[in-house]
């Protein structure tokens, strides 16, 4: 399995932890990409504001990725995207990363 295929759902899941409900993506991708960092037992984005809007051509993929987290009547949607979002080791995820929030 390709790294990006396996890690994309993990990337989204990790987006949901910590301050995801209070933080918001910015109006454009920041030059410095967001990175996953460990806070206790949870992985969170270090800079949620570094995400920009989800590009229209990636909205369907973002809906699928975030929708894979739907559970117990809670629906998740992408509100941010960064093409060079990084894993915990500072490596960019293939295909970028989505910032998902509950609706």
């Amino acid at each position: 399995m390709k790294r990006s295929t396996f890690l994309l759902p993990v990337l989204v899941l990790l987006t949901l932890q910590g301050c995801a409900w209070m933080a918001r993506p910015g109006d454009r991708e920041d030059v410095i990409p967001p990175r996953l960092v460990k806070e206790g037992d949870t992985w969170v984005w270090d800079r949620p504001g570094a995400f920009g809007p989800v590009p229209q051509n990636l909205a369907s993929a973002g809906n699928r990725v975030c929708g894979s987290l739907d559970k117990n009547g809670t629906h998740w949607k992408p509100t941010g995207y960064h093409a060079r979002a990084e894993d915990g080791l500072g490596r960019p995820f293939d295909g970028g990363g989505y910032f998902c929030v509950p609706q």
Side-chain angles (χ1 to χ4, degrees), residues 4-56:
S4 62
T5 304
F6 172 75
L7 290 179
L8 189 56
V10 174
L11 176 63
V12 172
L13 178 61
L14 298 174
T15 301
L16 306 176
Q17 303 299 318
C19 60
W21 289 274
M22 297 181 289
R24 297 177 189 262
D27 59 353
R28 65 178 184 233
E29 288 185 17
D30 194 79
V31 174
I32 302 169
R35 180 186 282 190
L36 290 173
V37 294
K38 189 92 171 194
E39 286 186 6
D41 293 334
T42 305
W43 287 93
V44 298
W45 290 111
D46 66 343
R47 303 174 54 248
F51 286 89
V54 178
Q56 190 169 11

